[in-house]
Amino acid sequence: MNKREPAVLYSEVTIRERVRELGHLISEDCSGMDEILLIGVLRGCYMFLADLSRCITIPRRIDFIAVSSYNDDTTRGQLRLVMDTRTDITGKHVLIVEDIVDSGHTLHYLLDLLTTRNPASLKTCSLLRKLDRIEKDVHVDYVGFDVPDVWVVGYGLDYSDRYRALPYVGYLEKKAV
Ligand code: IMP
Ligand code: MG
């Protein structure tokens, strides 16, 4: 058991400020819409979505979706839908809320899937993005922070289901992973 806490990349205060900015930006951009539907990608989004949804000032609904790869946590395999939304998104203004865009495969898969359901609009928001690792050409409309190629944890993000409840985003030293 690794007793060392992950090194801080973004503190609680820094995250709070950035999430507030994203909330304002989204509220401004969507001000003409009567309502938006935030779809959080489980499980990493849970803390970000909770905070972001409270920083958005226009009417919003919340739903969740979950995808999984056939492989383990850190290697990417074929994606499959493990939990669908409960909402019929046809004709709705949808914002997908992710914890991190790494290779981009998850977001690409979700954009393909949700587009077939004819939402009125479909946008993407991710707390973090690893620019060096992008393999799929996916557009992220709102990004909290562009992070270096390290394994990040905390604020919802995990390593083998640990560290999710940390209030900050940290990174693990290579030897701890
Ligand atoms: P993708 O490679 O963009 O499809 O990302 C797949 C998923 O892997 C993300 O939604 C995260 O849940 C997870 N992930 C990727 N990089 C990290 C990381 O550094 N820390 C924690 N989870 C990650
Ligand atoms: Mg995720």
Side-chain angles (χ1 to χ4, degrees), residues 95-162:
L95 179 66
I96 301 175
V97 180
E98 258 279 30
D99 53 354
I100 185 165
V101 177
D102 183 353
S103 67
H105 283 270
T106 304
L107 200 53
H108 188 265
Y109 171 86
L110 288 172
L111 283 168
D112 269 2
L113 177 76
L114 297 184
T115 300
T116 64
R117 300 177 180 177
N118 300 315
S121 66
L122 184 56
K123 285 188 167 187
T124 51
C125 174
S126 185
L127 176 69
L128 307 171
R129 176 174 59 180
K130 285 185 192 169
L131 272 179
D132 294 345
R133 301 246 320 156
I134 287 282
E135 289 172 13
K136 279 278 180 188
D137 184 22
V138 281
H139 179 69
V140 190
D141 295 281
Y142 306 98
V143 180
F145 305 96
D146 281 316
V147 296
D149 182 15
V150 289
W151 194 260
V152 287
V153 294
Y155 197 66
L157 292 107
D158 75 307
Y159 172 65
S160 289
D161 234 5
R162 291 163 57 204

